[in-house]
Amino acid sequence: VTSSTAAAGAASHRLVERFRSARRDQRLAVLEGFHALKHALRFGAELEQVAGTDPAELERLAAALAPDLAGRFDALVEVVEAETFAAFGPQVPRTGVMAIARRPQLDVEAVLARAEQRPIVYLEDTRNPFNIGACIRVAAGAEAAAVLTTSMHDPWHPDALRGAAGLHFALPVARVEQLPPSDRPLLALAPEGEPLDPARLPARAVLAFGTERDGLGDALLEAADARIALPMRAGVSSLNLATSVAAALYAWRLAAEARAGASS
Ligand SMILES: C[S@@+](CC[C@H](N)C(=O)[O-])C[C@H]1O[C@@H](n2cnc3c(N)ncnc32)[C@H](O)[C@@H]1O
């Protein structure tokens, strides 16, 4: 073994260790794949490390899917052998790129206190990290003010980041022990609530969603200012968590856009 081969082996080993330990580091986010990296770049993530097997392929993907980022990948990506890349995590993305970013610092109470006329999504005790990711993705798309969760899962876990296609950098996302008090109306989304009227959804509401199996807990249902339901066909018990977040947020957004269009 020549000294240069040994040095390359040691560098690969260090990189593998860096990706593996980043998965357990509460200050960092591991981004898996082109789409997560694309959104992280667009929404200003601070990247500590980007590594991949084929920057030319990333440039081809950028040209086809994200022309705003074309030309960025050659300089950004540290090229690694496929074998090294495969060791970065339990499941590596087919697009051949992974990154480590810093999580933004977040003051949850300050986020709740903001005057902006946009709702916050609160996910009580969500069980599935991919569901958390899907909720974050639609919250980013609809321009919600934040996603907070009491889930046992870290909403910045790589699986949630994959489910959100890296859109965590587009809005504040945090795990909380419980929902902090605020001056925002608290609306419980529950199939047995009053039918939702999009025109009457308060813009600064905290919209609370329950667990995949059991729904919202009694304490939240009792604390809520109102319980509202997305109408469903008779015989359907409930919607999937992330689809109900999508339906509620887009009901708010489309009604707000209709009001803005009517007054302009
Ligand atoms: C899969 S559902 C949970 C179903 C649970 N058995 C229940 O009755 O609430 C997960 C969450 O999605 C939201 N959800 C699902 N369908 C809904 C509907 N039709 N109206 C309002 N919220 C709904 C609720 O917040 C619910 O806690």
Side-chain angles (χ1 to χ4, degrees):
V1 179
T2 64
S3 60
S4 64
T5 316
S12 301
H13 182 72
R14 271 198 303 278
L15 208 49
V16 168
E17 274 315 301
R18 195 157 186 216
F19 272 94
R20 293 194 159 221
S21 68
R23 298 179 88 82
R24 301 183 297 273
D25 190 330
Q26 297 289 308
R27 295 160 307 168
L28 299 176
V30 175
L31 302 165
E32 298 174 329
F34 176 79
H35 295 288
L37 178 58
K38 169 189 77 180
H39 283 134
L41 287 168
R42 282 193 185 143
F43 290 101
E46 254 183 75
L47 297 170
E48 290 208 338
Q49 179 84 58
V50 183
T53 51
D54 186 356
E57 175 57 18
L58 296 175
E59 283 301 344
R60 278 191 288 278
L61 282 172
L65 304 171
D68 54 313
L69 299 176
R72 300 273 301 270
F73 294 93
D74 254 343
L76 204 58
V77 176
E78 179 167 343
V79 181
V80 294
E81 298 292 334
E83 196 184 317
T84 303
F85 189 71
F88 280 177
Q91 207 188 328
V92 293
R94 276 179 302 151
T95 48
V97 67
M98 283 177 58
I100 300 171
R102 294 207 148 269
R103 300 185 191 189
Q105 297 283 320
L106 189 60
D107 176 345
V108 172
E109 276 159 29
V111 169
L112 279 155
R114 284 182 194 160
E116 62 197 352
Q117 299 296 302
R118 296 190 282 139
I120 285 180
V121 173
Y122 171 63
L123 304 173
E124 190 174 74
D125 209 10
T126 308
R127 302 299 162 88
N128 180 323
F130 289 103
N131 244 346
I132 299 175
C135 294
I136 292 167
R137 186 172 187 169
V138 74
E143 262 186 296
V147 176
L148 305 177
T149 182
T150 50
S151 175
M152 63 198 278
H153 297 290
D154 177 1
W156 286 83
H157 184 277
D159 290 346
L161 277 150
R162 202 159 63 238
L167 280 160
H168 289 58
F169 298 93
L171 78 175
V173 171
R175 187 176 179 284
V176 290
E177 284 306 318
Q178 55 188 25
L179 181 64
S182 76
D183 65 345
R184 291 176 179 256
L186 175 60
L187 301 185
L189 272 286
E192 70 282 3
E194 294 294 316
L196 178 148
D197 176 354
R200 294 183 56 212
L201 260 185
R204 281 186 80 244
V206 172
L207 302 176
F209 299 84
T211 67
E212 290 88 338
R213 181 181 293 251
D214 299 321
L216 284 163
D218 290 342
L220 192 130
L221 288 169
E222 274 152 33
D225 297 298
R227 300 177 192 183
I228 53 177
L230 297 155
M232 295 181 294
R233 178 181 179 174
V236 177
S237 316
S238 68
L239 304 177
N240 156 276
L241 169 63
T243 56
S244 64
V245 173
L249 286 179
Y250 274 92
W252 157 72
R253 182 167 174 123
L254 293 172
E257 285 180 358
R259 274 195 302 276
S263 66
S264 65

